[in-house]
């Protein structure tokens, strides 16, 4: 049997990893500034993380949501403390798309309404509801397209209010910073306005922090730069440093009803021990602060070049937008300089390194990047 060939892959077989470094099967060392789509938050193979997972698997590796799992409560407690959302509740699932599905479903239960507003260039995942919330017709199938979703321009409060005023909108969903759509930052005034409009019209404000969350931008969640609170926050990717895990934070205004949401694997023992280890390491090593400082340093060191149109992002979520295609630059970084970077579209290099990236490692990238540009 062959694999269903849907992924564009780096032509590298990793066999070992540590911190921001990866080694392949030929012994070549790479600097990882992509973290496998932003899933490596505390660094590869962190000893505390490996210990937490191995200790756990030696006790009880997996059990479904049919018994009390104290690790879920421990995670909820820690997460409430570090995120500033102590009075919210936590529902655990397995991925970013599933988190967004659950968020929109919950908003729909809560309001009794069935339409959602999302934004141009959004990406919310690949499951039926999540892909319908995503502004990319190429990945929406006829089955997905039956969901009632309206796309507004990022920044257009008037357009959003026009849609909300019809009274049938359950939820407005927005990324803390748009990732796959090209590192687009909603302004603080837009987020503040959006929050006010949602309150005024009785719609639920969902902040998708799957990519921009958990310290990546230098605050725990990217929307906290705007000083607003969301009704539901969705999470995934780095929350368990690569172990599949997702979740949503839910405002106290929502009432839990038995059976309303559910999953077999969500919140399992291994995912929980991984997620708790991530928060412990993030706190101990001050990784949110590190993301802010190293991110700012990295952005400031990007050389000016006529081909670079814009450099934007926050913390360690950075987009380098070119006015030319970046395929050859990305290939050269990977094959000549042995540095993993990501892309957004055809003109943007997207950097999503582990949050433990050091200034020296950022400097290593800058030197290599200058040589590639030259
Ligand atoms: N939301 C955002 C903002 C994302 O960037 C992604 C993945 O890239 C998702 C949701 C979907 O997450 P997953 O691939 O874990 O389903």
């Amino acid at each position: 049997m062959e694999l269903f060939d849907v992924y564009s892959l780096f032509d590298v077989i990793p066999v070992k990893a540590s911190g921001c470094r990866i080694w392949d099967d030929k012994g070549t060392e790479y600097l990882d500034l992509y973290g496998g789509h932003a899933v490596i938050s505390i660094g590869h193979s962190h000893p505390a993380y490996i210990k937490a997972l191995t200790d756990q698997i030696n006790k009880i590796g997996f059990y479904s949501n049919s018994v009390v799992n104290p690790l879920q409560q421990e995670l909820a407690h820690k997460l409430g403390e570090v995120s500033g959302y102590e009075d919210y509740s936590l529902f655990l699932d397995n991925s970013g798309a599933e988190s967004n599905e659950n968020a929109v479903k919950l908003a729909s239960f809560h309001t009794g309404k069935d339409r959602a507003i999302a934004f141009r260039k959004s990406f919310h995942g690949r499951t039926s509801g999540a892909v319908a919330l995503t502004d990319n017709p190429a990945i929406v199938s006829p089955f997905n397209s039956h969901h009632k979703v309206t796309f507004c321009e990022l920044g257009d409060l008037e357009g959003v209010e026009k849609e909300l005023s019809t009274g049938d909108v359950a939820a407005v969903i927005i990324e803390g910073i748009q990732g796959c759509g090209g590192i687009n930052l909603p302004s603080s005034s837009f987020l503040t306005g959006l929050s006010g409009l949602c309150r005024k019209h009785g719609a639920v404000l969902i902040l998708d922090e799957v990519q921009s969350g958990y310290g990546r931008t230098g605050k725990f969640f990217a929307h906290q730069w705007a000083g607003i609170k969301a009704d539901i926050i969705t999470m995934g990717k780095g929350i368990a440093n690569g172990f599949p895990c997702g979740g949503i934070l839910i405002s106290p205004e929502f009432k839990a009803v038995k059976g309303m949401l559910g999953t077999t694997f969500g919140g399992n023992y291994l995912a929980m021990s991984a997620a708790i280890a991530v928060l412990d390491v993030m706190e101990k090593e001050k990784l949110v602060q590190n993301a802010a400082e190293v991110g700012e340093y990295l952005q400031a060191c990007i050389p000016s070049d006529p081909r670079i149109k814009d450099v934007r992002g926050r913390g360690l979520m950075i987009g380098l937008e070119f006015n030319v295609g970046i395929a050859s630059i990305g290939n050269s970084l990977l094959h000549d300089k042995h540095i993993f970077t990501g892309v957004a579209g055809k003109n943007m290099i997207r950097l999503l390194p582990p949050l433990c990236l050091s200034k020296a490692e950022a400097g290593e990238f800058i030197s290599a990047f200058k040589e590639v540009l030259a």
Side-chain angles (χ1 to χ4, degrees), residues 37 94-98 100 123-126 175 177 179-180 208-212 234 236-237 350:
H37 305 309
N94 309 283
S95 70
E98 198 185 341
N100 287 331
F123 183 86
H124 296 291
R126 303 255 186 179
E175 287 158 83
I177 293 178
C180 304
D208 179 341
E209 294 279 2
V210 169
Q211 191 169 142
S212 56
T234 66
K237 290 202 183 280
R350 192 162 44 126

Side-chain angles (χ1 to χ4, degrees), residues 54-237:
T54 14
D55 285 355
Q56 185 58 48
I57 206 161
N58 283 325
K59 281 189 260 170
I60 172 168
F62 177 75
Y63 209 88
S64 69
N65 278 311
S66 55
V67 290
V68 174
N69 176 348
L71 295 182
Q72 295 184 354
Q73 278 132 15
E74 187 181 338
L75 177 68
H77 180 71
K78 279 186 199 283
L79 190 50
E81 267 180 6
V82 295
S83 68
Y85 276 105
E86 229 159 348
D87 56 336
Y88 279 45
S89 316
L90 173 66
F91 177 77
L92 289 153
D93 50 47
N94 309 283
S95 70
E98 198 185 341
S99 297
N100 287 331
E101 292 278 345
N102 283 316
V104 178
K105 207 197 301 181
L106 195 53
S108 183
F109 278 135
H110 184 68
T111 58
K113 299 172 185 174
D114 64 353
R115 188 157 71 101
I117 293 177
F119 291 92
R120 290 283 165 219
K121 298 192 177 169
S122 59
F123 183 86
H124 296 291
R126 303 255 186 179
T127 52
S128 180
V131 82
L133 297 162
T134 291
D135 180 28
N136 182 351
I139 62 169
V140 180
S141 77
F143 177 70
N144 308 134
S145 65
H146 289 128
H147 293 274
K148 290 192 196 167
V149 180
T150 307
F151 291 98
C152 291
E153 291 296 332
L154 199 66
D156 177 15
L157 281 176
E158 249 175 63
V160 174
E161 174 138 48
K162 191 162 154 253
E163 295 301 332
L164 284 173
S165 59
T166 59
D168 62 341
V169 175
V172 176
I173 182 165
I174 182 166
E175 287 158 83
I177 293 178
Q178 286 187 338
C180 304
I183 313 292
N184 301 308
L185 289 75
S187 69
S188 291
S189 61
F190 180 64
L191 285 177
T192 307
L194 202 58
S195 163
L197 285 179
C198 285
R199 219 169 310 122
K200 178 175 162 194
H201 292 280
V204 172
L205 177 60
I206 302 171
L207 249 303
D208 179 341
E209 294 279 2
V210 169
Q211 191 169 142
S212 56
Y214 255 54
R216 176 154 296 284
T217 68
K219 295 247 186 227
F220 197 79
F221 292 123
H223 68 270
Q224 291 170 327
W225 285 101
I228 62 153
K229 278 198 130 180
D231 300 309
I232 301 179
I233 299 106
T234 66
M235 308 173 295
K237 290 202 183 280

